[in-house]
């Protein structure tokens, strides 16, 4: 499947499971299945993964925003479309490919959560770098209520965010929690009222898009890898990243600081 990023009105019209819009370095990916609270079939996860991979390769895309239509983020996998030909493991490999693409995305990704983010939809939000939610957003690792185990990277991301004991509580009891509790647990970065969320989201996305793309990608990778392993390994990775910084945006940023002017970051390799 070939996915192209439309820089205006979205991809393939209103019937597409994934819509895109682009402005000034920010790509907004919108899940578009309102009749199912944006639950995605396998083809929807495939379309999302393909869109993310295209965005990763596009140098004009500096930041990605992930959200849903009609007041909901994503109610997980569309169980009514589950099954089909082939072994169930084949379908999970396709879904897992999208989860891995999101988790390994070098560019900043912001989830904007309104309404339900449950099951795979909850972990879709949690695999993003930052999560902005409205007070009425609801999060749930609902898998146990459907007779299945946690998926879409929940077994990896949840213990990192909330610790092992709280992760077991959320998964094993399949509770639905409100946005403020999710923020207190560390699942949500900010809770904003509906009338201010778009403005706040735009400000955060703009600040990230104006930042140094190479340094941000390196910092994101260092933090993800540094949450496990030894200190010495983290220090070695930081030193390696430092040399890359000084071959890209760092020299210009330091000159801008000395000259008391704003820095402009383009991420270009500095040839000497």
């Amino acid at each position: 499947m070939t996915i192209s990023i439309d820089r205006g009105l979205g991809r393939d019209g209103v019937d597409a499971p994934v819509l895109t819009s682009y402005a000034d370095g920010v790509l907004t990916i919108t899940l578009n299945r309102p009749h199912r609270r944006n639950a995605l079939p396998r083809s929807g996860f495939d379309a999302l993964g393909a869109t993310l991979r295209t965005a990763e390769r596009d140098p004009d895309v500096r930041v990605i925003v992930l959200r849903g239509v009609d007041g909901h983020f994503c109610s997980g996998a569309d169980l009514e479309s589950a099954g089909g030909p082939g072994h169930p493991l084949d379908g999970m490999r396709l879904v897992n490919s999208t989860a891995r693409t999101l988790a390994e995305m070098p560019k900043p990704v912001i989830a904007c959560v309104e309404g339900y983010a449950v099951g795979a939809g909850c972990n879709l939000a949690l695999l993003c770098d930052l999560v902005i939610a409205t007070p009425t957003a609801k999060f749930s690792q609902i898998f146990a209520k459907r007779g299945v185990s946690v998926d879409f990277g929940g077994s990896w991301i949840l213990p990192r965010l909330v610790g092992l004991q709280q992760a077991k509580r959320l998964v094993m009891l399949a509770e639905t929690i409100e946005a403020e509790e999710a923020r207190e647990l560390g699942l949500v970065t900010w809770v904003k009222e509906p009338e201010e969320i778009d403005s706040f989201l735009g400000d955060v996305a703009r600040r990230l898009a104006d930042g140094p793309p190479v340094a941000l990608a390196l910092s994101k990778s260092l933090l993800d890898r540094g949450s496990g392993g030894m200190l010495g390994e983290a220090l070695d990775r930081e030193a390696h990243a430092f040399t890359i910084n000084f071959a890209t945006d760092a020299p210009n940023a330091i000159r801008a600081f000395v000259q008391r002017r704003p820095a402009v970051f383009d991420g270009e390799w500095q040839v000497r």
Side-chain angles (χ1 to χ4, degrees):
M1 181 182 294
T2 301
I3 303 293
S4 62
I5 293 175
D6 186 288
R7 302 199 184 284
L9 300 177
R11 186 189 63 83
D12 295 342
V14 296
D15 293 330
V18 174
L19 303 175
T20 61
S21 62
Y22 172 89
D24 300 326
V26 180
L27 175 72
T28 299
I29 301 175
T30 303
L31 307 182
N32 182 46
R33 301 191 80 238
H35 59 293
R36 301 293 296 159
R37 289 179 175 170
N38 299 320
L40 294 178
R42 289 181 185 177
S43 59
F45 282 109
D46 192 25
L48 175 59
T51 303
L52 288 168
R53 286 187 286 274
T54 300
E56 181 178 355
R57 295 190 299 267
D58 190 332
D60 291 334
V61 174
R62 303 280 287 261
V63 179
I64 299 168
V65 172
L66 191 58
R67 64 190 316 173
V69 300
D70 258 23
H72 292 289
F73 182 72
C74 177
S75 58
D78 189 345
L79 298 181
E80 291 190 4
S81 68
H87 195 280
L89 187 57
D90 295 332
M92 284 306 303
R93 284 176 176 146
L94 185 153
V95 173
N96 286 348
S97 174
T98 298
R100 183 175 292 109
T101 297
L102 177 58
E104 296 176 355
M105 171 66 65
K107 301 177 182 184
V109 186
I110 308 168
C112 182
V113 179
E114 301 175 88
Y116 283 101
V118 302
C122 182
N123 295 328
L124 177 64
L126 301 186
L127 286 175
C128 297
D129 302 303
L130 302 169
V131 179
I132 306 171
T134 61
T136 56
K138 299 180 186 301
F139 298 81
S140 178
Q141 299 286 325
I142 203 169
F143 304 98
K145 290 184 178 179
R146 304 293 181 259
V148 296
S149 52
V150 61
D151 67 16
F152 210 81
S155 63
W156 179 81
I157 191 61
L158 269 175
R160 287 169 170 251
L161 294 175
V162 303
L164 182 58
Q165 194 171 74
Q166 288 292 346
K168 288 181 177 179
R169 166 209 161 188
L170 293 170
V171 170
M172 296 171 74
L173 296 179
E175 297 174 336
T176 297
I177 62 174
E178 305 290 335
E180 191 55 42
E181 182 179 359
R183 187 192 65 79
E184 292 172 357
L185 285 171
L187 301 175
V188 168
T189 320
W190 301 281
V191 177
K192 296 294 177 181
E193 294 296 331
E195 62 270 17
E196 62 178 333
I197 194 168
D198 284 338
S199 175
F200 185 82
L201 170 64
D203 178 67
V204 173
R206 180 78 269 128
R207 289 159 59 190
L208 289 170
D210 288 342
V214 175
L216 289 179
L218 289 168
S219 291
K220 177 176 174 175
S221 176
L222 288 167
L223 290 168
D224 286 341
R225 297 177 67 186
S227 59
M230 305 295 290
L231 172 61
E233 296 171 344
L235 292 172
D236 288 342
R237 290 193 293 267
E238 289 175 2
H240 177 72
F242 203 72
T243 63
I244 299 175
N245 293 329
F246 272 85
T248 51
D249 281 318
N252 289 335
I254 292 171
R255 282 194 293 270
F257 172 75
V258 171
Q259 297 167 6
R260 291 175 172 76
R261 58 177 174 82
V264 176
F265 302 106
D266 58 19
E268 295 296 325
W269 191 260
Q270 303 297 311
V271 179
R272 289 177 174 78

